[in-house]
Amino acid sequence: MTQDHSAFSYEAMLGEYPDTMVSFGAGSITELYCYVLQNRINSAMLFAGGTSSANRSMGAVQSLFVDNPEFDLRLYAGIPPEPTVEDVRKMRAALEQSKPEIVIAVGGGSVMDAAKAAYLSMQTESDVNELFGVNTASTRFPEKEFKRIICIPTTSGTGSEVTPYSNIVDPESGVKKLIMEKQIIPSHAFVDPVLTHSMPQDLTVTTALDAFVHCIESVLNYRAENAHPDSVEWGLEGIRLIAQALPVVLKEPGNYIARTKLSAAAVLGGMCIRNRPTSLPHLCSFSFYGKVPHGVAVAALLPPFWQYYLESPEVRDITMKMSGIFSKEPEQTAEEIVKNCADFIAACKGPAKLSDLGCDRSIIAKVAGDAVQNPMKLQSCPRPVEPANAAEIITVILEKAW
Ligand SMILES: [Fe+2]
């Protein structure tokens, strides 16, 4: 596998991110307490999930405040995976009741996404349904600066701790809806890889694959505008870290160095997609919601769409930057890199082909039909797809990859 190209250079990269103050490493959550003291904060709402590991993580945060009985720490646990608009409404009600000075989300992407939506909903006095879309709140309130949440991630995947995205399920339509809003980018992320040690293997794989695909899709997205000049390097580093660390963690779940690399890669992936967004693999993954874990779906969809993008000379050039990451022998062609990447995904207990997702082949028609609903994404991807031809093109790509 790949050489340790730039040991620990990710720490410098995490410090470059202009949108979120990232504190990274073992014990970094203690810096939350310093932040609270320095800013004379007296109250907080702590949002968390409902699992035993969520309880442990919440306990770790609570323990920071045991010597400060004056501090008003409210706990709201039990946020489910795939939170719905109704979950967000309940969280908003809790915030309105306690009016905390800061909001802290401890958990995976679901908890962080729901906390972002609830805090924005409270501050805009808007139902969450009115916030879906691109910069809806900041367009409606152009003069207003909203307070942003603080995140303590306990998985290494979504990168939600640094992104402007919040995915919430609307049970009425049965689809996941997206808030994309610069004003929900968390202000601080305290990323302690120790909190990820108890992740079971399937969650480790699905979250790592999600981060992996974030980094690759972002690197490939050379058409993104106004991206941070270092965002390609962030993505390449994230890919290297996962290529090194995921096979190690699968053999030794408690390997601290490898877990640390996965945590760093997840943050880098979030930093990347804030600057150079994801494209067709992520767009098409939403049709698998409720059937296949997100990270597994995007990992199956990446190789076929990457192959499709290779018609673009710019994508070929940028693909060659990954030469030597997935193989000891640096690859000589872009096609070899895509193939070795697909083999890496399969070797890490990910899907080898689309049929491994366990869905009926008829889902291809649904994927193609759903994708057509998002012409903006189709036209902004590395090899643009005309909306009129999109259903046919996507069908051919997925049929070939089945
Ligand atoms: Fe993702």
Side-chain angles (χ1 to χ4, degrees), residues 309-322:
Y309 293 159
L310 290 185
E311 280 296 309
S312 149
E314 290 88 351
V315 173
R316 296 190 81 82
D317 285 351
I318 213 155
T319 296
M320 290 312 295
K321 287 180 184 282
M322 294 177 228

Side-chain angles (χ1 to χ4, degrees), residues 52-90:
S52 54
S53 80
N55 279 337
R56 274 198 300 280
S57 303
M58 200 163 65
V61 178
Q62 272 180 285
S63 68
L64 297 173
F65 297 94
V66 287
D67 293 334
N68 188 353
E70 302 291 298
F71 191 82
D72 182 9
L73 183 65
R74 304 286 175 100
L75 305 179
Y76 186 113
I79 297 162
E82 315 286 6
T84 64
V85 288
E86 207 43 58
D87 295 314
V88 173
R89 287 180 187 129
K90 287 181 195 155

Side-chain angles (χ1 to χ4, degrees), residues 1 12 27 38 59 84 127 163 187 189 202 222 290 338 351 396:
M1 270 297 130
Q38 279 164 2
T84 64
D127 186 72
T163 69
S187 62
D202 56 345
Y222 73 95
V338 177
V396 170

Side-chain angles (χ1 to χ4, degrees), residues 32-33 35-45 65 68-74 98-104 147:
L32 168 64
Y33 189 64
Y35 170 77
V36 161
L37 282 184
Q38 279 164 2
N39 291 281
R40 300 173 191 276
I41 294 164
N42 296 304
S43 63
M45 172 68 83
F65 297 94
N68 188 353
E70 302 291 298
F71 191 82
D72 182 9
L73 183 65
R74 304 286 175 100
S98 62
K99 298 191 172 50
E101 289 171 69
I102 55 171
V103 174
I104 306 167
K147 291 179 76 175

Side-chain angles (χ1 to χ4, degrees), residues 104-391:
I104 306 167
V106 186
S110 300
V111 173
M112 294 188 273
D113 282 12
K116 286 172 175 175
Y119 204 20
L120 186 67
S121 173
M122 185 200 102
Q123 294 180 80
T124 54
E125 297 180 0
S126 310
D127 186 72
V128 58
N129 261 331
E130 300 167 50
L131 299 171
F132 291 118
V134 180
N135 290 330
T136 306
S138 47
T139 305
R140 269 175 51 206
F141 304 94
E143 306 295 322
K144 199 160 173 191
E145 188 154 335
F146 298 106
K147 291 179 76 175
R148 300 181 289 149
I149 68 166
I150 291 170
C151 286
I152 302 178
T154 58
T155 62
S156 40
T158 68
S160 182
E161 60 274 16
V162 293
T163 69
Y165 310 119
S166 165
N167 276 297
I168 303 296
V169 175
D170 177 11
E172 264 178 43
S173 55
V175 295
K176 258 189 177 181
K177 290 186 171 173
L178 180 69
I179 301 172
M180 184 181 153
E181 168 63 66
K182 57 192 176 202
Q183 294 228 38
I184 60 171
I185 300 176
S187 62
H188 294 73
F190 297 93
V191 185
D192 186 338
V194 173
L195 297 178
T196 69
H197 278 208
S198 57
M199 274 200 292
Q201 188 177 80
D202 56 345
L203 188 60
T204 299
V205 170
T206 58
T207 52
L209 290 178
D210 187 23
F212 184 68
V213 179
H214 289 162
C215 292
I216 295 178
E217 282 198 71
S218 180
V219 168
L220 298 179
N221 194 353
Y222 73 95
R223 297 179 66 229
E225 290 172 0
N226 304 318
H228 189 287
D230 292 342
S231 47
V232 170
E233 286 308 316
W234 299 342
L236 292 171
E237 182 67 2
I239 299 162
R240 278 184 211 110
L241 290 169
I242 294 171
Q244 291 163 8
L246 184 54
V248 176
V249 167
L250 291 178
K251 284 199 200 107
E252 300 170 50
N255 185 306
Y256 176 71
I257 301 283
R259 285 281 184 193
T260 300
K261 288 179 177 179
L262 291 185
S263 281
V267 185
L268 289 169
M271 290 162 52
C272 285
I273 59 173
R274 187 270 188 274
N275 281 275
R276 296 163 69 101
T278 57
S279 52
L280 295 182
H282 262 74
L283 173 62
C284 292
S285 75
F286 292 115
S287 307
F288 292 87
Y289 158 67
K291 300 181 180 73
V292 180
H294 171 70
V296 176
V298 290
L301 290 160
L302 174 72
F305 282 112
W306 193 353
Q307 198 72 47
Y308 171 76
Y309 293 159
L310 290 185
E311 280 296 309
S312 149
E314 290 88 351
V315 173
R316 296 190 81 82
D317 285 351
I318 213 155
T319 296
M320 290 312 295
K321 287 180 184 282
M322 294 177 228
S323 176
I325 292 184
F326 307 115
S327 155
K328 275 188 196 148
E329 294 298 318
E331 296 92 341
Q332 301 302 311
T333 67
E335 283 79 4
E336 281 179 86
I337 292 172
V338 177
K339 180 181 181 310
N340 287 344
C341 174
D343 290 348
F344 169 78
I345 291 169
C348 291
K349 303 186 186 296
K353 50 190 188 306
L354 276 174
S355 51
D356 288 348
L357 297 183
C359 298
D360 189 88
R361 202 178 182 119
S362 62
I363 197 165
I364 291 176
K366 176 174 162 49
V367 175
D370 290 348
V372 173
Q373 308 299 318
N374 195 333
M376 202 172 83
K377 202 80 163 170
L378 293 170
Q379 287 177 307
S380 65
C381 78
R383 183 181 169 194
V385 180
E386 274 305 316
N389 308 328

